Amino acid sequence: MNAPQTLSRWREPGTSRVPFWAYTDPSLYQRELERLFYGPHWCYVGLAIEIPNTGDYRLSWIGERQVIMVRDRIAPKDRATDHGIRVVENRCAHRGVRFCQAPMDGQTGNARSFVCPYHQWTYKLNGDLAGLPFKDGVKADGPEGDCVHGGMPADFDIGKNGLTKLRVAVLHGMVFATFSEEAEPFDQYIGPQVMPWLDRIFQGRQLQLLGYNRQRIPGNWKLMMENIKDPYHPGLLHTWFVTFGLWRADQKSRMVMDEKGRHAVMISRRNDGGANKVVTEGVTSFKANMALNDARLLDVVPEPWWTVDDPSNPGATITPTVTMITLFPSLIIQQQVNSLSTRHIVPRGAGEFDFVWTHFGFADDTEEMTQRRLRQANLFGPAGFVSADDGEVIEFSQDGFKQWGEEGATLVELGGREDDVGQPPTEHMVTETLIRSMYAYWKKAMGIQ
Amino acid sequence: MTPIVDMDLQSLLLHHAIDRFNAAYAASLDERRFNEWPECFVEDARYKVQARENFDRKLPLALIALESQGMMRDRIYGTSQTIYHGPYYTRHVVSPARVTHAGAGTADDPIRAEANYAVFRTKPGSVSEVYQVGRYIDAFVHTDAGLKLQSRLCVYDSEMVLNSLIYPV
């Protein structure tokens, strides 16, 4: 693909200004699909618990390509080494048909094999082509005896004409895949800075699926990553956070990034809220006299796994109440008190993306804890007391970008103008360091120097 | 009159009473009298807006799940005071109700009914859009103040929420 003309237009050095065209240019967006979503990056596909039995499959997305996550048959001898989860592209090798349709009861089903309805090409669960009708032609009586009509050429190799198979990595029940042979090993892709925070939530636990919420947001997909790399807004935009002390600038916090600046973790510990003037004076979203009619909406109960050895301070422990993890390019993992979810970004053009929330708990949760997680889900998601705001401001951001011309740019200077890649974590939340670091990586990956 | 006609008349009156309730419910939302919305319910009522995907597969997650009139008042405070959003008008079109169980209308034996709904959204300065379509799955009880909801489960077909959902449906 030729480099879009826009790429020479990133005029300011560094990443403390992000040009509006980075969110609106259709050719740039095509390049993002190729280089980021279909390039050497690991993209979230789903959770292993969504496909518990052999043959269970679930449709998902990597960029704009629909993929099938499926649990394959595995020979007993391979069970110790093969998780059995395959990810194949939902596109027939014959005529390009997106053949696998979502079942009526959600996007999960069970199959013995995959068959494209158009010409009945049949694939094994692992994506291998198992067979196709009339491959060897049709025998017929000719004037000079038996002959064969048609069929595939003699050198047609059934082994080379299967579905596109993706590389798959399963971490603690989360399934990731990549189209790229060049993507580094998954553990290395996540890196040692971020991995402990995935371990903290997932390691050694059986997940329990609670359900899905889906929303279509009219904004560029990167705005959602930025939203969860932006610790500045929650205590300002979100009344519930500042008033009830779930996330605000007077809390002990830490901003972690991987060594390339692309993934991040925003870590904090809630306080009791109240009118600490340093963070509430003049903040119109702070409601000093607000009290809930039904306090069960915020019935937070600490969980033992919240406390872990502090990766930054050997010998000490740390007990965050919130960790918001962004895995470039398309996954957010949320722990906000007792509410847990993955949030999957599915881009749909430069100006729109779908946002799929999968809420989960743990298999050993008590009934009360499950109920608590479901209750706190009222804060998060497309109708959430907190998260509904985010989709709305993203839409208004995109509106603002669209109405301005070539020279417009967002301003990302809170906490400095450097991208801080390779620096130790920032121990407060009054910074936009994680957004600058993501664009440092994005520029490299996109070929913008 | 024969008993059969009596039964029909009773059924007609019950259906009519629920249709009137649903019309008043929709009007309170569409006319933005949001403070009246919790009054459509009894004190310990449930209100849920749930994706069909979750409902069909018996997954418990909902978009909104409220367990009391108090929570409903908290939701209304949220929609008017705390959730930042682009304002929009709604227009509910609710189908005639289908009574699925002509219960006594008590807490233990509520009247069960369903109705289809479509909610259109119009943002000031913009066109109208189909915002959400689904069905109400209801349990009603008789009170001194007339019929009230003991529970309303809104199961929506729409696979995608158009950005966010702020007001109740």
Side-chain angles (χ1 to χ4, degrees):
Chain A
M1 179 192 271
N2 292 328
Q5 176 251 332
T6 50
L7 297 188
S8 59
R9 288 197 262 138
W10 192 300
R11 295 199 176 120
E12 301 273 336
T15 57
S16 65
R17 291 284 194 281
V18 179
F20 289 165
W21 52 256
Y23 306 92
T24 58
D25 187 293
S27 61
L28 183 81
Y29 168 72
Q30 288 304 320
R31 193 177 175 90
E32 286 181 322
L33 288 178
E34 293 297 331
R35 292 205 169 202
L36 307 180
F37 292 90
Y38 313 146
H41 299 91
W42 289 93
C43 291
Y44 176 74
V45 178
L47 299 174
I49 48 163
E50 297 176 278
I51 48 167
N53 305 308
T54 300
D56 283 354
Y57 67 89
R58 175 164 185 77
L59 298 178
S60 184
W61 297 90
I62 292 181
E64 294 194 3
R65 292 179 182 166
Q66 193 172 58
V67 297
I68 309 170
M69 173 175 77
V70 57
R71 193 174 287 272
D72 195 7
R73 296 176 188 89
I74 29 176
K77 68 178 171 57
D78 297 328
R79 282 192 186 137
T81 53
D82 183 357
H83 48 66
I85 294 176
R86 318 285 178 237
V87 177
V88 295
E89 194 184 350
N90 186 8
R91 181 175 55 82
C92 182
H94 179 212
R95 300 292 298 273
V97 174
R98 187 189 282 170
F99 58 90
C100 185
Q101 299 300 312
M104 288 298 286
D105 60 344
Q107 303 201 10
T108 307
N110 186 276
R112 294 173 60 82
S113 57
F114 296 115
V115 183
C116 176
Y118 201 177
H119 304 90
Q120 298 191 13
W121 283 38
T122 300
Y123 302 93
K124 296 179 189 171
L125 295 176
N126 68 6
D128 284 345
L129 181 58
L132 55 116
F134 310 129
K135 174 173 163 292
D136 301 322
V138 176
K139 281 197 181 120
D141 292 331
E144 286 153 43
D146 281 0
C147 70
V148 174
H149 288 170
M152 297 302 272
D155 64 352
F156 178 79
D157 186 348
I158 214 166
K160 287 185 179 160
N161 286 281
L163 300 174
T164 304
K165 298 179 184 184
L166 284 75
R167 292 168 64 199
V168 177
V170 180
L171 176 75
H172 307 326
M174 287 180 288
V175 181
F176 297 83
T178 178
F179 283 96
S180 167
E181 290 304 318
E182 279 78 53
E184 63 210 288
F186 181 76
D187 283 12
Q188 202 177 312
Y189 181 72
I190 298 299
Q193 298 84 1
V194 172
M195 191 62 90
W197 300 104
L198 296 175
D199 291 343
R200 171 176 172 272
I201 297 174
F202 293 96
Q203 191 170 35
R205 296 201 183 89
Q206 180 66 32
L207 304 185
Q208 181 190 10
L209 183 64
L210 297 180
Y212 306 96
N213 281 321
R214 298 167 190 274
Q215 61 190 131
R216 181 159 291 173
I217 299 178
N220 183 270
W221 66 274
K222 295 189 292 298
L223 289 169
M224 195 72 245
M225 290 309 262
E226 292 178 36
N227 181 267
I228 308 296
K229 290 174 185 285
D230 163 17
Y232 182 32
H233 84 275
L236 299 168
L237 175 64
H238 303 311
T239 291
W240 276 54
F241 277 3
V242 59
T243 302
F244 299 132
L246 290 165
W247 181 282
R248 54 189 231 179
D250 55 350
Q251 292 167 356
K252 181 95 182 110
S253 312
R254 182 184 300 162
M255 305 298 126
V256 173
M257 65 177 81
D258 73 317
E259 65 182 8
K260 296 188 174 176
R262 56 191 173 184
H263 316 306
V265 193
M266 303 201 301
I267 300 160
S268 192
R269 181 170 173 77
R270 74 184 287 231
N271 61 22
D272 294 328
N276 177 356
K277 283 190 177 168
V278 177
V279 296
T280 61
E281 197 160 67
V283 175
T284 55
S285 53
F286 177 71
K287 310 275 184 198
N289 298 318
M290 180 177 164
L292 294 174
N293 288 296
D294 191 329
R296 289 179 297 175
L297 283 167
L298 261 184
D299 166 33
V300 175
V301 169
E303 301 180 55
W305 59 268
W306 290 5
T307 301
V308 288
D309 293 335
D310 185 344
S312 295
N313 299 295
T317 60
I318 183 171
T319 308
T321 59
V322 47
T323 58
M324 299 297 299
I325 304 170
T326 41
L327 299 185
F328 191 84
S330 55
L331 181 65
I332 292 154
I333 299 166
Q334 165 210 323
Q335 180 229 333
Q336 246 297 355
V337 284
N338 303 114
S339 174
L340 296 157
S341 65
T342 62
R343 310 178 185 178
H344 183 191
I345 295 171
V346 182
R348 297 175 45 86
E352 187 172 80
F353 65 96
D354 290 345
F355 202 36
V356 182
W357 302 63
T358 305
H359 284 249
F360 62 89
F362 303 118
D364 59 1
D365 283 344
T366 61
E367 182 54 36
E368 290 73 23
M369 183 54 83
T370 299
Q371 194 55 46
R372 183 173 293 115
R373 297 196 203 286
L374 291 167
R375 223 171 252 145
Q376 290 177 22
N378 281 296
L379 276 67
F380 307 102
F385 280 112
V386 177
S387 303
D389 303 332
D390 292 320
E392 294 285 301
V393 293
I394 284 174
E395 180 172 351
F396 301 147
S397 296
Q398 191 78 12
D399 288 344
F401 303 159
K402 280 191 293 194
Q403 76 183 26
W404 196 251
E406 178 68 18
E407 299 300 322
T410 67
L411 192 159
V412 198
E413 295 189 2
L414 197 71
R417 296 193 181 90
E418 302 302 316
D419 63 35
D420 304 327
V421 174
Q423 298 300 309
T426 306
E427 301 285 338
H428 61 79
M429 60 170 75
V430 197
T431 179
E432 291 167 329
T433 177
L434 300 178
I435 299 176
R436 290 189 296 273
S437 74
M438 179 179 80
Y439 277 100
Y441 179 76
W442 181 89
K443 283 174 73 175
K444 273 190 199 136
M446 292 290 287
I448 302 170
Q449 294 306 326
Chain B
M1 272 188 204
T2 68
I4 288 170
V5 173
D6 264 345
M7 289 295 288
D8 279 354
L9 187 59
Q10 282 218 328
S11 172
L12 184 75
L13 289 171
L14 181 58
H15 281 84
H16 180 61
I18 293 171
D19 287 343
R20 281 176 58 176
F21 176 94
N22 283 337
Y25 175 100
S28 72
L29 293 175
D30 293 344
E31 294 167 13
R32 304 175 68 79
R33 289 180 274 113
F34 293 122
N35 288 334
E36 295 179 20
W37 174 73
E39 308 307 318
C40 298
F41 296 80
V42 295
E43 197 179 334
D44 61 348
R46 305 292 175 111
Y47 173 79
K48 237 192 237 189
V49 184
Q50 190 178 37
R52 180 181 185 146
E53 169 179 29
N54 295 329
F55 179 79
D56 285 353
R57 294 177 59 198
K58 298 185 171 48
L59 294 169
L61 186 74
L63 196 59
I64 300 176
L66 307 175
E67 297 165 67
S68 68
Q69 239 178 351
M71 281 193 196
M72 294 177 208
R73 294 194 179 105
D74 290 330
R75 179 72 202 180
I76 292 305
Y77 185 78
T79 62
S80 57
Q81 303 294 322
T82 79
I83 307 177
Y84 180 73
H85 62 277
Y88 60 93
Y89 299 107
T90 61
R91 185 68 56 202
H92 287 65
V93 178
V94 182
S95 79
R98 183 168 67 91
V99 173
T100 54
H101 171 69
T106 59
D108 296 333
D109 185 25
I111 301 153
R112 297 192 182 276
E114 296 189 15
N116 293 332
Y117 68 84
V119 182
F120 299 89
R121 178 178 79 174
T122 309
K123 291 186 167 186
S126 192
V127 297
S128 299
E129 308 166 277
V130 179
Y131 187 45
Q132 189 173 88
V133 294
R135 64 179 160 138
Y136 295 132
I137 302 173
D138 296 331
F140 289 96
V141 291
H142 292 295
T143 74
D144 293 342
L147 277 181
K148 299 276 180 189
L149 282 163
Q150 183 190 54
S151 77
R152 168 157 279 183
L153 169 58
C154 315
V155 178
Y156 60 94
D157 295 340
S158 319
E159 291 272 315
M160 291 288 163
V161 174
L162 296 184
N163 199 344
S164 60
L165 185 140
I166 309 295
Y167 314 126
V169 294

